[in-house]
């Protein structure tokens, strides 16, 4: 007889094999995952991949067009744009992961507590959620970032404070369905406490939907972070943040287009990859949304 640990490992391997099998049937989603994996490798190995230092200035080579020496050209300070894009991948992934790790658990806890307890608790939590949702997320993030001060850390906090309501609404909707299932009722009859019910029976059923929603939200996180950087409220110079690079390059758009276009292309393809990966992940984790 197999041990519980061996059985859990077998289920994990089987689940991963099934997920990879489904992903192989989604070539567009596979492209998204492979592109994100490539970006992750670039972010980790940035010092080895980048041909130049991202902060090294050479005014004698300022505003050079793309060439064999500088594949993406140089900016107004003579810094290699490709090297700055490579190092900027680290900032982008740091922002996305930090916001996701804050927004996911926070929204999940608020949503399942509101959905399970109901009554006045549900009403209060959902009214707070509605108030936050009533403001455009970018405007609210700008307000928080301006109040907290410019910087990458404050940008992460500002985006997180505007991103949890959508996760909370989703978790609450899932909880309203799960709390009436037979296995939850059976656990309640056997004396399971509310905390145990929420942690072991309800939350695991909500996590797949939350993960999918977080993946789909990552493109929005990138765009919001870029907008904050563009307005000077994100990562501060000389950090190679893509939004800040677009902001500094907008002055040279007419004659030196590559200074602003190259980071814009990086934002475009990264956001697209997260959306494609999110769509594929939704089809894998939630059969109700599978394409016919």
């Amino acid at each position: 007889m197999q041990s519980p640990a061996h059985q859990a490992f077998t289920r994990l391997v089987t689940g991963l094999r099934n997920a990879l099998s489904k992903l192989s049937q989604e070539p567009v989603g596979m492209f998204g995952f492979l592109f994100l994996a490539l970006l992750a490798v670039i972010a980790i190995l940035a010092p080895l991949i980048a041909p130049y230092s991202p902060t090294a200035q050479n005014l004698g080579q300022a505003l050079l067009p793309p060439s064999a020496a500088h594949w993406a050209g140089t900016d107004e300070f003579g810094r290699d744009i490709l090297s700055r894009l490579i190092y900027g991948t680290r900032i982008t992934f740091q922002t996305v992961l930090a916001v996701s790790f804050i927004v996911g658990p926070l929204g999940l806890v608020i949503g399942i507590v509101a959905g399970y307890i109901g009554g006045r608790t549900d009403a209060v939590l959902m009214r707070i959620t509605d108030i936050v949702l009533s403001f455009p997320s970018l405007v609210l993030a700008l307000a928080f970032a301006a109040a907290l001060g410019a910087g990458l850390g404050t940008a992460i906090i500002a985006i997180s404070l505007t991103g949890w309501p959508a996760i909370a609404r989703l978790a609450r909707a899932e909880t309203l369905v799960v709390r009436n299932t037979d296995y939850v009722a059976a656990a309640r009859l056997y004396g399971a406490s509310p905390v145990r019910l929420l942690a072991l029976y309800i939350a695991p059923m909500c996590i797949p939907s939350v993960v999918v929603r977080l993946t789909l939200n990552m493109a929005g996180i990138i765009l919001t972070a870029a907008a904050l950087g563009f307005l000077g409220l994100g990562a501060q110079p000389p950090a190679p943040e893509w939004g800040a690079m677009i902001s500094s390059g907008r002055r040279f758009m007419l004659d030196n287009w590559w200074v602003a276009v190259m980071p814009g292309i990086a934002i475009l393809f990264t956001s697209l990859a997260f959306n494609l990966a999110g769509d594929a992940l939704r089809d894998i984790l939630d059969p109700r949304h599978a394409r016919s």
Side-chain angles (χ1 to χ4, degrees), residues 138-154:
L138 178 57
V139 174
L140 199 57
L142 286 172
F144 282 126
L148 296 173
L152 180 60
T154 56

Side-chain angles (χ1 to χ4, degrees), residues 43-268:
I44 295 172
L45 302 179
L48 302 177
I49 297 175
Y52 303 94
S53 169
T55 58
Q57 300 183 14
N58 187 347
L59 297 179
Q61 296 185 347
L63 299 176
L64 294 180
S67 63
H70 301 279
W71 288 6
T74 62
D75 62 9
E76 69 273 24
F77 296 108
R79 296 174 298 194
D80 182 66
I81 293 178
L82 177 60
S83 299
R84 290 178 62 78
L85 291 177
I86 291 174
Y87 274 87
T89 307
R90 287 184 163 186
I91 298 177
T92 299
F93 270 84
Q94 179 183 351
T95 303
V96 168
L97 293 178
V99 172
S100 298
F101 279 118
I102 295 173
V103 167
L106 179 61
L108 178 64
V109 170
I110 292 176
I112 62 176
V113 169
Y116 180 77
I117 298 178
R120 186 170 299 177
T121 301
D122 182 27
V124 171
L125 291 177
M126 286 302 101
R127 294 302 75 76
I128 296 174
T129 302
D130 292 337
I131 291 173
V132 178
L133 285 173
S134 65
F135 293 93
S137 59
L138 178 57
V139 174
L140 199 57
L142 286 172
F144 282 126
L148 296 173
L152 180 60
T154 56
I156 291 173
I157 296 174
I159 299 172
S160 301
L161 291 174
T162 64
W164 64 266
I167 304 299
R169 294 284 294 266
L170 175 63
R172 175 182 177 272
E174 294 284 345
T175 303
L176 292 175
V177 176
V178 174
R179 72 176 185 178
N180 295 321
T181 56
D182 293 339
Y183 75 93
V184 173
R188 189 183 296 112
L189 289 175
Y190 275 102
S193 65
V195 175
R196 183 179 179 85
L197 288 173
L198 291 175
L200 299 181
Y201 294 90
I202 296 178
M205 300 301 296
C206 302
I207 288 177
S209 298
V210 170
V211 170
V212 171
R213 184 58 184 265
L214 283 174
T215 307
L216 292 172
N217 284 354
M218 286 177 179
I221 294 172
I222 293 174
L223 294 176
T224 304
L228 293 177
F230 182 87
L231 296 173
L233 296 174
Q236 298 299 294
E241 199 275 326
W242 293 345
M245 291 174 65
I246 295 177
S247 177
S248 63
R250 74 185 189 278
R251 296 172 293 169
F252 312 102
M253 277 294 295
L254 294 180
D255 298 321
N256 311 106
W257 55 268
W258 57 88
V259 181
V261 169
M262 293 302 180
I265 292 175
I267 293 173
L268 170 65

